[in-house]
Amino acid sequence: MNALHDVATEFPPQADLVRPREVESPGYWRQVRNRLSRDPVTIGAGTVLALIVLSALLAPLLAPYDPYQGSIMTRMKPVGFEGHPLGTDETGRDMLSRLLYGGRVSLLAGVAPVAAALAIGGTLGVVAGFFGGLVNTLIMRVTDVFYAFPSILLAIAICGLLGAGLVNTLISLTLVFIPPIIRISESVTTQVRAYDFVEAARASGARPMQLIRHQVLANVLGPILVYATSLVSLSIILAAGLSFLGLGVTPPTAEWGLMLNALRQAIYIDPVLAALPGAMIFVTSMCFNLISDGLRGAMDVRIRT
């Protein structure tokens, strides 16, 4: 009896056992969110970018003056002049108001072309990478033709053909960004197409569009979005460069590149005033680059938390 008691004590009944709690593994997008929340550089860049976007959206409420109304009596006033915290430009217009309104056009020129190129180029790249063969050859050879020209030269050529203006600038930048997005989309899709789960779904009778929608897109959207985010900063710089050359936004529209062009002679009079539009371009582009780097690191499945 004592032996049976000792065994019962050492191995209690199943109901008395303390079962360990099952720990659920966090999903992929939750891991991405957790990594981003622990990245101070990405959080800081996102905060600064959010402030820039909000200031541009709320420009009618924040701008102290009309951005298009100036006075010859107050032209080229320095930073801190009476009633003008950032001074005035070459025609006496308030620089703070011009910078706030200019953010609207510059951010639009940065985001809109990349979004349009992402929709067009991403679709063509996924189709080329998934179907391969003649479809891939046709799409990629046309893409290679555009790759023969540097981005800035291609944008200048298209704007020179279409003419200056905001709409033509958006069209030219969209055409510039379609080829690189096609290239990255095709490359990622070709890799995903060879995975076992795609072959298993194909063997089970799934149609090509079902494979693309349910198996391929979920695995290629991440790298494509990260790459597209890095293009936004380049789009802002290219749009500013076109305006600087007189091929982009036309005067008197408030746009950072156009303001930089108008104030290029003021660098000998007031360098701080002349550098303000360039500083806004630099800070905004840097924020997009840092956010892109943060997303790339957070979405890399090889990194262990």
Side-chain angles (χ1 to χ4, degrees):
M1 293 294 292
N2 292 334
L4 293 176
H5 177 73
D6 294 339
V7 172
T9 303
E10 184 177 357
F11 298 100
Q14 189 71 19
D16 296 335
L17 290 175
V18 178
R19 299 181 179 180
R21 296 175 58 186
E22 295 182 358
V23 179
E24 296 183 359
S25 177
Y28 172 71
W29 291 109
R30 174 182 263 180
Q31 292 182 17
V32 172
R33 185 186 63 185
N34 292 338
R35 292 175 182 176
L36 288 176
S37 64
R38 293 193 296 269
D39 188 350
V41 176
T42 304
I43 294 176
T47 302
V48 174
L49 182 61
L51 292 176
I52 294 175
V53 173
L54 285 176
S55 64
L57 294 176
L58 300 178
L61 301 177
L62 299 178
Y65 297 94
D66 186 344
Y68 301 107
Q69 184 177 2
S71 174
I72 195 66
M73 301 300 296
T74 58
R75 62 185 301 270
M76 296 303 301
K77 295 301 181 181
V79 175
F81 182 72
E82 299 179 0
H84 301 278
L86 297 182
T88 58
D89 63 2
E90 75 283 357
T91 60
R93 295 171 295 192
D94 182 66
M95 281 294 296
L96 177 59
S97 302
R98 298 278 293 173
L99 289 173
L100 291 174
Y101 276 89
R104 291 182 158 192
V105 180
S106 295
L107 290 173
L108 176 63
V111 175
V114 175
L118 179 63
I120 300 172
T123 301
L124 293 176
V126 170
V127 170
F130 183 81
F131 290 100
L134 182 60
V135 175
N136 182 287
T137 301
L138 179 62
I139 295 176
M140 298 311 297
R141 295 299 76 79
V142 174
T143 302
D144 291 339
V145 174
F146 286 91
Y147 260 103
F149 304 94
S151 299
I152 183 62
L153 294 182
L154 184 59
I156 291 174
I158 296 175
C159 276
L161 180 64
L162 299 178
L166 178 60
V167 176
N168 292 338
T169 300
L170 298 180
I171 294 175
S172 65
L173 293 179
T174 300
L175 295 177
V176 166
F177 294 131
I178 286 177
I181 292 181
I182 290 179
R183 178 64 63 86
I184 191 68
S185 302
E186 187 269 343
S187 176
V188 176
T189 304
T190 301
Q191 296 177 5
V192 173
R193 183 186 62 179
Y195 288 167
D196 293 338
F197 62 87
V198 178
E199 295 296 335
R202 182 183 287 109
S204 65
R207 297 179 180 179
M209 292 308 300
Q210 292 176 330
L211 291 173
I212 293 176
R213 185 168 62 251
H214 298 291
Q215 307 295 332
V216 176
L217 285 181
N219 295 276
V220 303
L221 278 180
I224 297 174
L225 288 176
V226 170
Y227 181 72
T229 305
S230 66
L231 291 179
V232 175
S233 60
L234 179 59
S235 181
I236 294 175
I237 295 174
L238 289 179
L242 292 174
S243 298
F244 186 86
L245 295 174
L247 297 173
V249 179
T250 57
T253 305
E255 194 267 341
W256 292 338
L258 189 61
M259 294 170 61
L260 192 63
N261 180 30
L263 291 170
R264 69 183 187 276
Q265 297 297 334
I267 192 172
Y268 302 105
I269 303 174
D270 192 342
V272 176
L273 185 66
L276 287 176
M280 293 301 301
I281 296 172
F282 172 78
V283 171
T284 306
S285 301
M286 184 60 67
C287 287
F288 276 108
N289 282 332
L290 293 176
I291 292 173
S292 176
D293 291 341
L295 286 175
R296 183 181 295 108
M299 300 180 72
D300 192 347
V301 296
R302 296 172 296 180
I303 298 178
R304 299 289 182 179
T305 58

